[in-house]
Amino acid sequence: GRVAEGVCYRLFSRRKWQKGMLSHQEPEIRRTGLDYLILQLKLFPLPSVRNDKGAKDLTAEEALSLAIQPPPTESILSSVEFLRKIEALERGETENLTPLGRHLAKLPVGNVQVGKMVLLSAILGC
């Protein structure tokens, strides 16, 4: 950001600025896909919570609900379901990473589908 006085040039009309622009942008965690973020969360150990049945690992929903401005629950659940569908997370109640999910989480590719394509093409020698 700016730290000194200066001139600001906007590439849109004054009317658009006054009528259509938001005073601040929606947080990125609420407007982007959560697939890669959930893989990253699962790659690193999450704290456990204790209840009357003992300790259990936090789910993606529980971990992301701790964010300052958490994403919608529906987005989290659909991302978890998508990750299970592409076999990056185990099926069932646990959300453990599969070997594929572990490799996808380590790739510096923000799109999980592209990451899976890159891994499979390397395995198949394409």
Side-chain angles (χ1 to χ4, degrees), residues 39-82:
L39 286 178
Q40 293 285 301
L41 279 173
K42 293 297 180 179
L43 185 61
F44 300 107
L46 293 173
S48 298
V49 288
R50 248 197 205 292
N51 57 21
D52 55 345
K53 298 177 185 173
K56 81 173 188 85
D57 292 335
L58 287 176
T59 64
E61 182 181 357
E62 292 166 337
L64 289 173
S65 70
L66 299 173
I68 294 172
Q69 291 183 321
T73 302
E74 302 82 35
S75 298
I76 299 169
L77 296 177
S78 69
S79 289
V80 167
E81 186 56 38
F82 172 73

Side-chain angles (χ1 to χ4, degrees), residues 53-117:
K53 298 177 185 173
K56 81 173 188 85
D57 292 335
L58 287 176
T59 64
E61 182 181 357
E62 292 166 337
L64 289 173
S65 70
L66 299 173
I68 294 172
Q69 291 183 321
T73 302
E74 302 82 35
S75 298
I76 299 169
L77 296 177
S78 69
S79 289
V80 167
E81 186 56 38
F82 172 73
L83 291 170
R84 285 184 174 135
K85 187 176 181 179
I86 66 165
E87 300 177 355
L89 290 180
E90 292 178 354
R91 297 208 179 267
E93 292 202 21
T94 65
E95 293 178 351
N96 296 330
L97 287 174
T98 62
L100 172 65
R102 193 166 298 285
H103 288 292
L104 287 173
K106 292 178 182 177
L107 279 178
V109 178
N111 186 326
V112 177
Q113 292 169 308
V114 172
K116 184 173 180 178
M117 182 180 67

Side-chain angles (χ1 to χ4, degrees), residues 5-75:
E5 288 189 33
V7 178
C8 176
Y9 294 97
R10 297 188 176 99
L11 301 177
F12 41 84
S13 69
R14 181 175 305 231
R15 183 173 175 215
K16 174 105 176 159
W17 170 255
Q18 292 171 343
K19 300 280 184 194
M21 303 299 281
L22 299 173
S23 61
H24 62 280
Q25 193 173 26
E26 186 78 13
E28 187 172 1
I29 195 168
R30 302 186 102 202
R31 50 184 172 91
T32 60
L34 299 172
D35 310 329
Y36 188 66
L37 178 61
I38 290 172
L39 286 178
Q40 293 285 301
L41 279 173
K42 293 297 180 179
L43 185 61
F44 300 107
L46 293 173
S48 298
V49 288
R50 248 197 205 292
N51 57 21
D52 55 345
K53 298 177 185 173
K56 81 173 188 85
D57 292 335
L58 287 176
T59 64
E61 182 181 357
E62 292 166 337
L64 289 173
S65 70
L66 299 173
I68 294 172
Q69 291 183 321
T73 302
E74 302 82 35
S75 298

